[in-house]
């Protein structure tokens, strides 16, 4: 064999009968490492587990050619927590590799519905994967079972219905009905058929998971959002700053503060006016002829945030939460009938890469989220949580950010604490903090960002409108967030 044969070999490979002598010599010379049964690598540095993970599926294909990825691996698409990969092959055996065990079992081979995978592997169709995972299996020494079991299947079917609609469940059931006799899963199909009917509310079955029971009862919710709410809840319980009591302000100062709350909250959403124009709208009812709806957005926000009685209302239960949201939204969006004032959305909405809660799941996701809200002890914690709850569910066709901030500040006003305002220059910080939790599951930036925003409000001498405007200008509050970032300018405390 040519001296440079190793240069043509991949990083990791299985030795063959024809190559075994050359491989043995290379290993003896320190040019190769043996890291598994007939498994060698040219990489003499990285841990064997890393090398195997990098080449996982080609290695499965090499050890079990033509095998079908099955059972829990076909639904999870990753090794099990103990490193197991489950496949259907010609004989049953366990193949031990660094960090991975390929566990083969006998069974019906690939069917027309199963899909080609890497190498000459196949992967179970979705219908087959669900049927297989309803089959009973014994717990291995590591505590991992070959199949996911009833509760996991229920949750994954709920995910499917949530993302693709009830019709997706019907199509899946039809595919499973045709497939079951060919793979010997008739009993599993009977259980699957009952489960689909129970999720759709047309049949009774002993559902295991809370999500499946909620869907059966006609109250489905978004579990991914609930997970985010739980992350924020834990952060707030551990790290929420102490409250900042409202300073004693006269009527003019309170009016000024409410005005800038309405002004900045709308500016964040793209409803932009000069301060003088906005003041004329709020205090003189001077509605611009060419922008009446925009003007009413500011006016509607002002009417809510300047009303001390309204802003002292907080929800005592989930029904009151839904009622407050609808009533405040009806006031805010009164000039935009096409946005459904006071009505929860009927179509999915999104912002960039974020797709918000499905319209069918809005009410019950809010209800599930409320259960965490009511056990938060401080007004600041409830304010931050309420802001994110409403923002992340996005229950309306429009006006969600403004309603989220109104609901948040109502928590603070009701407790006699300073409000949270997000001036124009701080917009990018605020939106980045929301995204950090929504997309990266990191709640700390949101708590920190809103804490500073409240501290800024507490430090600002809200007095007359013009004097306050000058103070805010000195602190860069009106600067465009992107321009400020490029210039290295930050929101400055007075």
């Amino acid at each position: 064999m040519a001296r440079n044969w190793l240069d043509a070999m991949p990083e990791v490979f299985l030795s063959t009968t024809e190559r075994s002598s050359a491989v043995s010599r290379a290993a003896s010379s320190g040019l190769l490492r043996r890291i598994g049964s007939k498994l060698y690598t040219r990489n003499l540095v990285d841990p064997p587990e890393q090398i195997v993970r990098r080449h996982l599926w080609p290695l499965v294909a090499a050890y079990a050619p033509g095998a079908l990825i099955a059972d829990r691996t076909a639904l999870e698409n990753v090794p099990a927590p103990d490193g197991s990969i489950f496949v259907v092959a010609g004989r049953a055996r366990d193949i031990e590799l660094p960090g991975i065990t390929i566990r083969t079992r006998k069974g019906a081979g690939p069917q027309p519905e199963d899909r080609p995978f890497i190498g000459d592997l196949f992967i179970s169709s979705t219908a087959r994967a669900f049927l297989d995972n309803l089959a009973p299996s014994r717990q291995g020494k590591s505590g991992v079972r070959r199949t996911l079991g009833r509760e996991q299947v229920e949750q994954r079917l709920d995910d499917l219905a949530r993302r693709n609609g009830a019709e997706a469940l019907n199509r899946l059931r039809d595919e499973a009905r045709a497939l079951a006799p060919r793979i010997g899963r008739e009993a599993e199909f009977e259980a699957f058929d009952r489960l689909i009917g129970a999720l759709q509310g047309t049949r009774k079955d002993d559902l295991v998971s809370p999500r499946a029971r909620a869907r059966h009862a006609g109250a489905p919710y978004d579990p991914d959002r609930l997970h985010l709410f739980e992350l924020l809840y834990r952060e707030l319980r551990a790290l929420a700053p102490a409250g900042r009591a409202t300073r004693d302000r006269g009527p003019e100062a309170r009016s000024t503060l409410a005005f800038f709350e309405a002004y900045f909250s709308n500016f964040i959403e793209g409803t932009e006016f000069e301060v003088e124009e906005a003041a004329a709208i709020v205090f003189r009812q001077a509605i611009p002829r060419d922008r009446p709806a925009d003007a009413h957005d500011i006016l509607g926000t002002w009417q809510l945030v300047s009303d001390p009685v309204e802003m002292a209302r907080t929800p005592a239960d989930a029904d009151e939460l839904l009622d407050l949201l609808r009533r405040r939204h009806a006031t805010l969006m009164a000039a935009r009938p096409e946005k459904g004032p006071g009505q929860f959305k009927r179509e999915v909405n999104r912002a960039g890469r974020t797709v918000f809660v499905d319209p069918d799941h809005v009410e019950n996701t809010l209800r599930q989220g409320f259960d965490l809200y009511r056990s938060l002890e401080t007004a600041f914690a409830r304010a931050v949580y309420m802001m994110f709850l409403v923002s992340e569910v996005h229950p309306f066709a429009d006006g969600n950010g403004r309603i989220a901030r109104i609901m948040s500040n109502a928590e603070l006003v009701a407790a006699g604490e300073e409000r949270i305002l997000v001036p124009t220059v701080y917009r990018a910080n605020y939106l980045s903090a929301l995204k950090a939790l929504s997309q990266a599951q990191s709640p700390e930036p949101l708590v920190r960002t809103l804490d500073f925003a409240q501290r800024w409000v507490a430090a600002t001498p809200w007095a007359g409108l013009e004097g306050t405007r000058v103070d805010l200008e000195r602190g860069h509050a009106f600067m465009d967030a992107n321009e400020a970032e490029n210039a290295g300018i930050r929101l400055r405390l007075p």
Side-chain angles (χ1 to χ4, degrees):
M1 188 173 289
R3 288 171 57 87
N4 64 348
W5 68 274
L6 271 178
D7 295 338
M9 299 302 293
E11 181 183 23
V12 64
F13 61 90
L14 265 65
S15 178
T16 62
T17 301
E18 297 80 9
R19 191 183 291 139
S20 61
S21 296
V23 168
S24 295
R25 288 194 297 272
S28 298
S29 302
L31 300 176
L32 290 175
R33 276 193 297 170
R34 183 179 182 275
I35 60 174
S37 175
K38 299 182 180 180
L39 187 64
Y40 292 82
T41 179
R42 295 187 293 108
N43 186 329
L44 307 179
V45 178
D46 291 340
E49 293 81 3
Q50 287 185 12
I51 297 170
V52 169
R53 286 279 180 157
R54 279 202 294 270
H55 302 275
L56 179 60
W57 299 113
L59 287 177
V60 174
Y63 279 106
L68 173 76
I69 298 167
D71 304 324
R72 68 182 296 156
T73 311
L75 283 181
E76 293 182 314
N77 298 305
V78 294
D82 68 343
S84 294
I85 292 176
F86 298 99
V87 301
V88 173
R91 63 191 178 100
R93 59 177 177 149
D94 289 349
I95 303 167
E96 300 283 349
L97 300 177
I100 293 292
T101 303
I102 304 169
R103 302 187 188 278
T104 71
R105 68 170 173 85
K106 292 183 178 180
Q111 301 296 303
E113 297 88 349
D114 298 324
R115 304 294 297 172
F117 197 55
I118 294 169
D120 58 354
L121 295 173
F122 292 83
I123 188 167
S124 298
S125 67
T126 303
R128 179 171 187 166
F130 274 113
L131 291 176
D132 281 344
N133 277 282
L134 282 172
S137 61
R138 292 193 300 271
Q139 185 170 288
K141 294 179 181 179
S142 65
V144 170
R145 297 180 185 274
R146 175 180 291 276
T147 58
L148 290 175
R150 176 64 181 245
E151 183 170 6
Q152 281 281 329
V153 167
E154 289 180 2
Q155 291 179 0
R156 287 172 181 271
L157 287 173
D158 177 68
D159 287 339
L160 185 66
R162 177 165 51 89
R163 292 166 182 159
N164 301 302
E167 186 55 37
L169 296 181
N170 292 330
R171 289 194 299 270
L172 189 64
R173 177 166 49 188
D174 291 342
E175 292 171 13
R177 180 181 288 109
L179 175 65
R182 286 186 265 131
I183 62 172
R185 293 296 192 199
E186 293 90 341
E188 286 77 12
F189 173 74
E190 292 300 320
F192 188 68
D193 187 29
R194 291 193 302 272
L195 174 52
I196 294 290
L199 288 172
Q200 294 178 331
T202 60
R203 298 180 65 172
K204 290 185 177 181
D205 199 12
D206 294 327
L207 296 171
V208 176
S209 74
R211 286 165 51 186
R213 291 197 293 267
R215 181 170 292 279
H216 173 76
Y221 61 89
D222 187 325
D224 296 336
R225 266 42 192 237
L226 193 62
H227 174 64
L228 296 178
F229 302 154
E230 289 168 349
L231 290 177
L232 179 58
Y233 173 84
R234 289 198 292 270
E235 181 76 11
L236 290 168
R237 290 277 293 180
L239 299 174
R244 296 183 177 93
T246 303
R247 286 190 295 164
D248 186 19
R249 297 188 178 99
E252 184 179 19
R254 291 195 299 270
S255 176
T256 298
L257 176 57
F259 167 77
F260 280 108
E261 179 180 353
Y263 177 81
F264 285 130
S265 191
N266 278 275
F267 212 99
I268 286 175
E269 306 300 332
T271 303
E272 301 179 7
F273 287 96
E274 294 297 327
V275 172
E276 294 78 7
E277 292 179 293
I281 292 167
V282 166
F283 298 115
R284 302 205 316 269
Q285 305 291 305
I287 306 300
R289 294 174 61 88
D290 57 338
R291 298 178 63 188
D294 287 349
H296 194 278
D297 287 349
I298 287 186
L299 193 58
T301 309
W302 154 257
Q303 289 171 346
L304 290 167
V305 302
S306 64
D307 183 342
V309 176
E310 178 62 35
M311 289 300 286
R313 292 194 176 105
T314 59
D317 54 39
D319 286 336
E320 193 169 356
L321 169 65
L322 302 183
D323 181 62
L324 277 171
L325 286 168
R326 291 190 184 102
R327 285 198 303 101
R328 288 170 176 169
H329 188 263
T331 298
L332 176 67
M333 305 301 290
R336 298 186 185 272
E338 75 280 4
K339 300 299 184 181
Q343 300 174 15
F344 289 144
K345 63 188 177 185
R346 297 173 182 171
E347 297 180 0
V348 173
N349 45 15
R350 66 184 68 219
R353 294 189 295 114
T354 301
V355 179
F356 297 107
V357 173
D358 185 274
D360 291 339
H361 301 157
V362 163
E363 288 198 20
N364 291 295
T365 303
L366 289 169
R367 289 181 182 277
Q368 292 283 336
F370 181 84
D371 288 343
L372 294 172
Y373 153 89
R374 63 183 178 181
S375 65
L376 289 168
E377 296 174 356
T378 70
F380 180 84
R382 292 192 297 274
V384 174
Y385 183 90
M386 183 62 73
M387 179 183 288
F388 185 72
L389 172 67
V390 178
S391 175
E392 189 64 19
V393 173
H394 243 59
F396 302 105
D398 195 8
N400 293 286
R402 282 163 286 189
I403 288 296
R405 291 184 287 275
I406 290 168
M407 296 292 292
S408 173
N409 275 336
E411 297 293 331
L412 297 167
V413 172
E417 297 189 10
E418 292 286 11
R419 305 184 191 214
I420 295 171
L421 270 63
V422 181
T424 304
V425 73
Y426 207 51
R427 178 181 187 271
N429 304 71
Y430 169 66
L431 296 180
S432 295
L434 287 172
K435 288 178 182 177
L437 179 49
S438 180
Q439 298 178 10
Q441 302 189 15
S442 177
E444 192 272 337
L446 183 61
V447 178
R448 184 182 66 244
T449 298
L450 297 182
D451 175 50
F452 181 82
Q454 189 192 41
R455 185 152 61 97
W456 175 76
V457 171
T460 298
W462 307 95
L465 188 64
E466 180 57 25
T468 299
R469 184 186 66 78
V470 172
D471 288 337
L472 297 184
E473 282 182 345
R474 291 196 188 106
H476 313 301
F478 299 110
M479 279 196 71
D480 176 85
N482 293 325
E483 292 178 4
E485 179 68 24
N486 293 333
I489 295 173
R490 301 287 184 269
L491 178 63
R492 191 171 65 194
L493 293 173

